[in-house]
């Protein structure tokens, strides 16, 4: 499907495609320059090619799989690749693949400031956005006018508003979790305007009253892979009522202060308005308050923490998440995976037991 | 006042009594052993002074909180500002390494794991968090910090680690974030780091209760640069054949440049060490009795097994004459400039080895290999340190092909013996050494 989209965008609109490594990046810039972003979350399953062996087995499967995928020529349908400096591992992958072999087409980087929103970080982000924009302009052959940027910002605001509305009205959405995430994750590679159309179509199906009958669960973690996890959760009697996946909810910018007239300022504001994410060094207290608010709003009765093995940014927050919800009396299940193609038997058993526990919990639906 | 007096006294009076006692115990122990055995050359005289210096630092630290401002600091932090403000600094990495040498990591890590921290996190972190959560330490007591000071130039892990320390200890965290460098840092990267250093001066000044004295900062910067230069001279002594000490000695002697950078005590110590090493070079005294092969080491030491490794290697005439780890502290520090303490610190601390791309790393390994005339290299693939380890598979191949040397990728962990498969690991080491014969 991704390759089909890349072909279609190229043939119909003359758009080039850029593969993008997780997690956060200024997609607005790519859209403004008519570049199709195609995200590369691994991809899941066993690594495709021997180059995975160039990264030690104690590194997360996202990085190992991505190197194998890029070096094995599986991403040759795209024209460039963007490495956001998400963590130590992607940072190293960016230099490994481009400097020591694995990727020969154009490569771009986006460097995040870490920690709190502060004036120095804002100035750095704006300069970094302008630097990236400059290299993407040269690559795409388009000039980034303020009008183009403003239009892209408006489009992405709409996309986020629709994604946020779907997640907020989750209980009234007549989709199971597998269908919901298939829809939301198409945004990782579809042209944003086309994705918006399908989001709006889904919004039109919202029922006036809740249709979800399972136990509401807050999910926080990295990426909903393997997708079978969702069906298992539903089968166990739960459903995702609130999402804090890095790949999904953590990238929906909900805070909407009046957008600045200057599109560069508006872009910087959007960057800092995103939900707290450990990969950007968010303050733990702020993040726990955010998760607690998500749980409260959605009426979640349990918390599923779904992390990837060896993923330090996520793993560091696990004790704080457990502690935050223990004090609220919400059960927490921590599942650790490796981007495997199928859900392990052990994970299935634990999810089922978790479902039973939640259904037995007071107030469970 | 009283606490300050006790802090000063701990250094000046009580401490020498304790070190004298330790030296006496050491002599007693040594006299019971057979002298002259083993593959190593005569021990360095300076070691005793090193022990005193570091024991003094930790001993005085017990009385630091309440007497002087205290900061816990990452190893790559631009410490000159804190030093100029009179902070007593504690390096959790250094403390964790100390625990690693004493094989305390499994015990402390168990505490951290019981609190929910994954065993896949850096073992320095698990050691430190376990130590904090259990209040156990082999140094008696660590002073409670008033400030946590973290710089991301060695890894992002330190930020996550220090956020957790901040959460557990309820202490503010000051961050100097250094974006990763591909090639050379851009103007906006350096401007960002410089601006944060200026923020640091204000925050640390507030915590210490006095503003930063610009002249004092110049003085400390000069001292820190001199310390790095002296440390570089100590390392450079190993260009001689035989090398006057072993790379393993270097791992231990790094402590002052990490923990006491910017102090006269650090520089005084390295002058002493440099003079001793140069004297050994002049007299042809080696770190090994017989140096047959010269090796380069990349990445952190395997703290819990350094003696074992060095003995296995030394028994067959192998010496680490250079390590990228110890070299990093000599390289980076000389770039700071007393004429521009903040601007030069921004540039220098952004360009440390772990904050730069792999071609830069390859250049460093190539240069060290040539300068120290090594005939082999061991790249420690460190389960706990991803930023230092990712890329080593390619680095191994390139070093071997370009320089025609044997290169071993050895998987271990810098602090956690549970991640080290001793028998197969030592067999690989033995097979590597056999390849030279
Ligand atoms: S360590 Fe975590 S954030 Fe980094 S690439 Fe791997 S999964 Fe993603
Ligand atoms: S050992 Fe590596 S991961 Fe751990 S703190 Fe040091 S640089 Fe960071």
């Amino acid at each position: 499907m991704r390759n089909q989209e890349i072909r279609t965008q190229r043939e119909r609109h003359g758009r080039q495609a850029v593969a993008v490594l997780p997690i956060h990046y200024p997609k607005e810039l790519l859209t403004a320059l008519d570049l199709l972003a195609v995200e590369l979350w691994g991809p899941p399953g066993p690594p495709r090619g021997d180059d995975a062996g160039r990264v030690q087995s104690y590194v997360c499967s996202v990085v190992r799989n991505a190197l194998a995928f890029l070096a094995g020529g599986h991403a040759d349908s795209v024209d460039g690749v963007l490495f956001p400096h998400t963590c130590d591992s992607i940072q190293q992958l960016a230099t490994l693949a481009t400097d020591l072999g694995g990727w020969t087409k154009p490569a771009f980087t986006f460097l995040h400031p870490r920690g709190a929103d502060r004036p120095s970080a804002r100035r750095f982000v704006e300069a970094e956005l302008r630097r990236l924009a400059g290299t993407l302009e040269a690559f795409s052959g388009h000039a980034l006018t303020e009008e183009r940027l403003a239009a892209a910002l408006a489009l992405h605001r709409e996309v986020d508003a629709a994604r946020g509305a779907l997640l907020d009205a989750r209980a009234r959405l007549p989709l199971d979790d597998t269908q919901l995430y298939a829809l939301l994750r198409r945004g990782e590679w579809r042209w944003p305007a086309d994705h918006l159309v399908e989001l709006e179509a889904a919004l039109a199906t919202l029922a006036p009253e809740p249709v979800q009958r399972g136990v509401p669960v807050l999910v926080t973690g990295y990426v909903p892979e393997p997708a079978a996890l969702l069906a298992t959760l539903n089968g166990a009697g739960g459903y995702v009522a609130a999402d804090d996946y890095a790949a999904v909810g953590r990238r929906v910018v909900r805070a909407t202060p009046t957008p600045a007239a200057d599109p560069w300022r508006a872009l910087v504001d959007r960057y800092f308005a995103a939900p707290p994410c450990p990969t950007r060094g968010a303050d733990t207290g702020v993040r726990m308050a955010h998760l607690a608010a998500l749980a409260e709003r959605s009426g979640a009765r349990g918390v599923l923490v779904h992390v990837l093995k060896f993923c330090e940014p996520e793993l560091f927050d696990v004790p704080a998440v457990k502690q935050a919800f223990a004090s609220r009396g919400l059960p927490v299940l921590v599942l650790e995976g490796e981007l495997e193609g199928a859900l392990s038997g052990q994970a299935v058993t634990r999810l089922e037991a978790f479902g039973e526990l939640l259904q037995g919990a007071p107030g469970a639906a | 006042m009283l606490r300050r007096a006790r802090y000063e006294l701990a250094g000046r009076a009580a401490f020498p009594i304790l070190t004298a006692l330790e030296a006496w115990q050491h002599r007693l122990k040594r006299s019971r052993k057979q002298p002259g055995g083993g593959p190593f050359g005569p021990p360095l005289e300076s070691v005793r002074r090193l022990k005193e210096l570091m024991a003094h630092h930790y001993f005085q630290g017990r009385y630091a909180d309440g007497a002087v401002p205290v900061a816990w600091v990452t190893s790559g932090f631009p410490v000159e500002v804190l030093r100029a403000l009179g902070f007593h600094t504690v390096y959790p990495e250094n403390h964790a390494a100390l625990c690693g040498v004493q094989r305390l990591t499994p015990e402390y890590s168990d505490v951290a794991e019981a609190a929910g921290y994954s065993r896949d996190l850096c073992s320095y972190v698990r050691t430190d968090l376990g130590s904090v959560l259990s209040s156990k330490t082999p140094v008696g007591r660590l002073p409670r910090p008033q400030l946590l000071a973290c710089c991301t130039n060695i890894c992002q892990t330190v930020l996550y680690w220090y956020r957790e320390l901040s959460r557990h200890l309820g202490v503010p965290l000051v961050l100097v974030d250094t974006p990763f460098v591909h090639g050379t840092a851009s103007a906006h990267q350096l401007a960002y780091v410089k601006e944060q250093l200026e923020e640091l001066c204000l925050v640390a000044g507030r915590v210490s209760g006095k503003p930063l004295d610009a002249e004092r900062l110049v003085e400390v910067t000069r001292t820190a640069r001199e310390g790095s230069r002296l440390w570089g001279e100590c390392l450079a002594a190993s260009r001689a054949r035989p090398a006057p000490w072993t790379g393993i000695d270097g791992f231990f002697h790094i402590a002052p440049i990490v923990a006491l950078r910017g102090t006269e005590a650090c520089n005084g110590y390295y002058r002493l060490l440099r003079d001793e090493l140069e004297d050994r070079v002049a007299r042809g005294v080696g770190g090994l009795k017989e140096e047959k092969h010269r090796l380069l080491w990349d990445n952190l030491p395997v703290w819990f097994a350094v003696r074992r490794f060095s003995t296995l290697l030394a028994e067959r005439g192998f010496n680490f004459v250079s390590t990228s780890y110890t070299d990093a502290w000599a390289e980076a520090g000389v770039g700071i400039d007393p004429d521009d303490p903040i601007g030069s610190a921004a540039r220098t601390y952004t360009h440390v080895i772990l904050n730069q791309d792999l071609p830069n790393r390859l250049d460093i390994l190539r240069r060290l290999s040539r300068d120290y005339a090594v005939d082999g290299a061991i790249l420690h693939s460190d389960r706990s340190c991803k930023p230092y380890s990712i890329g080593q598979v390619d680095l191994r191949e390139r070093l071997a092909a370009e320089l025609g040397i044997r290169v071993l990728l050895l998987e271990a962990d810098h602090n956690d013996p549970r991640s080290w498969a001793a028998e197969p690991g030592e067999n690989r080491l033995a097979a590597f050494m056999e390849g030279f014969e």
Side-chain angles (χ1 to χ4, degrees):
Chain A
M1 282 196 298
R2 284 173 169 74
N3 280 331
Q4 178 58 45
E5 175 77 350
I6 292 168
R7 265 197 303 278
T8 308
Q9 293 299 327
R10 180 169 290 133
E11 284 160 14
R12 292 209 192 132
H13 307 283
R15 290 179 179 132
Q16 297 188 83
V18 176
V20 187
L21 274 290
I23 302 173
H24 306 281
Y25 63 102
K27 192 169 180 176
E28 298 86 344
L29 286 183
L30 278 80
T31 306
L33 288 165
D34 239 354
L35 296 169
L36 175 71
V38 182
E39 297 177 12
L40 190 60
W41 290 83
R48 299 176 208 177
D50 295 338
D51 284 73
R54 288 170 56 201
V55 176
Q56 291 92 330
S57 58
Y58 50 80
V59 175
C60 74
S61 39
V62 169
V63 164
R64 288 165 54 76
N65 286 12
L67 181 64
F69 195 76
L70 295 172
H74 302 286
D76 283 355
S77 53
V78 301
D79 306 281
V81 62
L82 169 62
F83 296 93
H85 277 212
T86 298
C87 60
D88 290 328
S89 300
I90 291 198
Q91 202 158 275
Q92 289 300 116
L93 174 68
T95 162
L96 178 59
T98 57
D99 296 323
L100 299 188
W103 185 253
T104 50
K105 290 186 183 180
F108 313 99
T109 55
F110 179 70
L111 305 173
H112 291 283
R114 313 284 163 179
D117 177 355
R118 45 186 174 162
S120 55
R122 282 190 171 247
R123 275 188 279 278
F124 175 72
V125 165
E126 179 165 350
E128 185 61 11
L129 288 166
R130 288 184 186 270
R131 179 198 63 80
L132 176 62
T135 54
L136 290 176
E137 274 181 306
F139 169 74
S140 68
H142 297 300
L144 182 62
T145 60
E146 293 209 338
E147 291 69 37
R148 268 180 180 262
L149 184 53
L153 273 161
L155 174 58
H156 282 283
R157 264 189 222 112
E158 278 189 80
V159 170
D160 275 2
R163 289 165 78 84
L166 279 176
L167 288 170
D168 289 348
R170 174 70 189 107
R172 294 188 288 121
L173 189 67
L175 297 178
D176 64 22
D177 284 336
T178 308
Q179 293 164 326
L180 170 68
Y181 279 95
L183 167 65
L184 293 173
R185 296 199 63 203
R186 281 200 289 277
E188 292 169 14
W189 49 269
R190 288 205 71 186
W191 183 252
D194 299 337
H195 181 50
L196 180 60
V197 172
E198 59 182 348
L199 292 171
E200 282 170 344
L203 277 172
T205 68
L206 282 178
E209 295 299 324
V211 289
Q212 296 296 331
R213 296 283 164 248
V215 182
V217 174
L218 162 68
V219 181
T220 179
Y222 192 68
V223 61
E225 294 284 358
L229 174 134
L230 301 164
T232 309
L233 176 67
N234 290 168
Y239 80 99
V240 180
D243 172 290
D244 181 59
Y245 268 121
V248 187
R250 245 182 258 164
R251 299 197 297 174
V252 177
V253 182
R254 288 148 185 278
T256 48
T258 317
D262 168 18
W264 287 101
R265 247 212 62 211
L267 193 57
V268 173
D269 287 346
R270 251 176 84 70
Y271 177 91
F272 284 101
C277 181
T279 62
R280 287 171 47 182
D283 177 83
T284 319
V286 171
R287 177 155 189 247
M288 293 314 124
H290 171 77
L291 291 180
L294 272 182
E296 187 120 4
R297 272 206 310 271
S298 62
R301 299 195 189 284
V303 180
L304 173 60
V305 182
H306 180 207
V307 285
L308 268 185
K309 192 162 171 61
F310 304 119
C311 176
E312 286 205 343
E314 298 284 337
L315 289 171
F316 261 99
D317 272 7
V318 170
V321 174
K322 281 182 172 170
Q323 208 181 331
F325 288 105
S327 62
R328 288 180 163 76
L330 286 193
V332 176
L333 173 68
V334 181
L335 275 188
E336 207 173 286
E338 284 215 79
L339 276 192
E340 53 279 84
L343 199 60
S344 71
Q346 196 201 28
V348 172
T349 310
R350 295 186 64 212
L351 267 172
E352 285 171 351
F354 187 57
E356 276 168 29
L357 174 78
L358 294 183
Q359 288 179 44
Chain B
M1 279 291 278
L2 245 177
R3 292 192 72 99
R4 174 87 202 199
R6 204 165 57 153
Y7 175 72
E8 297 294 345
L9 199 67
R12 289 190 196 139
F15 175 74
I17 298 168
L18 284 186
T19 43
L21 187 69
E22 205 214 348
W24 176 75
Q25 285 172 327
H26 185 67
R27 270 202 302 278
L28 206 67
K29 241 197 251 169
R30 269 221 331 223
S31 70
R32 286 182 188 143
K33 280 190 188 161
Q34 284 290 333
F40 297 102
L44 288 161
E45 288 298 321
S46 316
V47 169
R48 206 172 144 264
R49 180 70 196 115
L50 172 71
K51 279 187 186 160
E52 285 174 11
L53 184 68
M54 295 315 295
H56 174 275
H57 172 65
Y58 279 110
F59 187 77
Q60 199 177 33
R62 290 186 202 178
Y63 303 98
D65 38 346
V68 289
V70 176
W72 286 14
V73 184
T74 58
S75 61
F77 193 84
V79 74
E80 291 75 18
V81 170
L82 300 177
R83 198 75 79 212
L85 281 162
F87 274 84
H88 178 94
T89 54
V90 172
Y91 285 78
E93 289 155 76
N94 186 265
H95 173 254
L98 213 133
C99 299
V101 171
Q102 299 190 25
R103 291 187 162 253
L104 292 168
T105 292
E107 181 190 338
Y108 292 1
S109 182
D110 279 348
V111 176
E113 288 168 47
Y117 296 99
S118 164
R119 197 185 275 197
D120 292 327
L121 300 180
C122 165
S123 49
Y124 271 171
V125 179
R126 286 181 279 122
T127 307
D128 180 60
L129 291 176
S131 164
V132 167
L133 294 174
S134 64
S135 303
K136 286 185 184 169
T137 164
V139 301
R141 178 178 180 271
L142 287 175
R144 197 184 149 75
Q146 286 156 276
L147 186 69
L148 296 161
C150 166
C151 181
T152 55
N153 58 357
I154 51 169
C155 61
Q156 308 300 321
T157 300
V158 287
L159 174 55
Y160 313 136
W161 174 5
Y162 275 56
R163 275 187 334 173
E164 286 304 275
L165 283 176
S166 175
R167 190 165 73 87
H168 289 300
L169 299 170
V171 171
L173 165 62
V174 64
L175 170 68
V176 175
D177 175 36
T178 50
F180 192 79
V181 177
H182 292 270
T184 308
S186 64
H188 74 273
Q189 273 175 288
L190 294 180
Y192 171 47
V193 178
K194 188 173 173 212
E195 205 175 330
Q196 293 175 81
L197 289 175
E198 283 155 359
E199 288 163 18
L200 165 71
C201 296
L202 297 177
V203 172
R206 264 200 303 276
V207 172
S208 74
K210 60 179 181 210
L212 182 67
D213 175 344
E215 275 178 33
R216 178 81 187 116
L217 179 62
V218 167
E219 203 180 302
V220 170
T221 301
R222 188 172 292 118
T223 309
R225 183 175 67 176
E226 175 70 356
S228 294
R229 196 185 60 74
L230 288 164
W231 173 239
E233 286 179 4
C234 295
L235 295 178
S238 284
R239 292 179 189 206
R241 211 179 260 267
W245 58 338
T246 70
I248 307 299
D249 293 320
F251 287 148
F252 289 108
H253 285 265
I254 201 175
I257 196 68
V258 176
L260 298 170
R261 194 165 66 247
T263 66
E264 254 318 312
C266 166
N267 294 6
Y269 176 68
Y270 285 133
R271 277 190 205 101
L272 182 81
L273 176 64
R274 178 203 55 196
D275 292 348
E276 185 184 359
L277 291 170
E278 287 179 354
D279 176 59
R280 283 168 72 115
V281 169
R283 291 187 293 116
V285 177
L288 301 191
K289 279 184 182 153
E290 190 187 7
E291 178 187 288
K292 288 192 202 154
H293 301 287
R294 297 164 64 84
L295 297 178
L296 169 73
W297 176 274
D298 181 50
N299 212 325
L300 278 85
V302 181
W303 287 117
F304 56 86
V306 271
R307 276 285 153 222
R308 173 88 185 131
F309 273 25
S310 60
T311 307
L312 280 176
L313 289 156
E315 277 166 350
R316 297 169 85 155
F318 287 80
N319 188 11
F320 289 117
V321 291
S322 180
T323 78
S324 61
Y325 177 72
T326 49
D327 176 71
W329 269 273
E331 299 237 343
V334 291
I336 50 175
D337 180 358
D339 290 337
D340 178 18
I342 299 294
S344 65
R347 197 170 44 249
T348 300
Y349 283 99
T350 301
H351 283 97
V352 304
I353 183 172
L354 286 179
N355 203 44
Q356 292 197 69
D357 57 20
L358 286 165
N360 173 69
R361 177 93 166 277
L362 184 59
D363 277 350
I364 291 174
L365 294 178
R366 263 195 217 113
R367 185 167 44 71
L368 293 177
S369 300
R370 290 192 177 121
D371 288 355
Y372 288 81
V374 304
D375 23 49
I378 296 183
L379 311 185
H380 167 205
S381 167
D382 183 349
R383 281 186 72 85
S384 267
C385 186
K386 293 167 186 72
Y388 220 145
S389 303
I390 295 177
Q392 282 180 320
V393 175
D394 285 61
L395 293 176
R396 174 188 57 184
E397 279 175 23
R398 294 203 179 208
L399 277 181
E402 288 178 23
L403 303 178
I405 58 173
R406 285 175 198 285
V407 187
L408 173 71
L409 191 67
L410 188 68
E411 186 165 320
D413 186 287
H414 60 263
N415 243 32
D416 195 341
R418 297 170 302 183
S419 299
W420 163 242
E423 206 183 313
E426 288 182 9
N427 286 344
R428 293 200 65 213
L429 210 53
F432 172 69
M433 289 190 282
E434 274 158 24
F436 287 79
E437 282 154 12

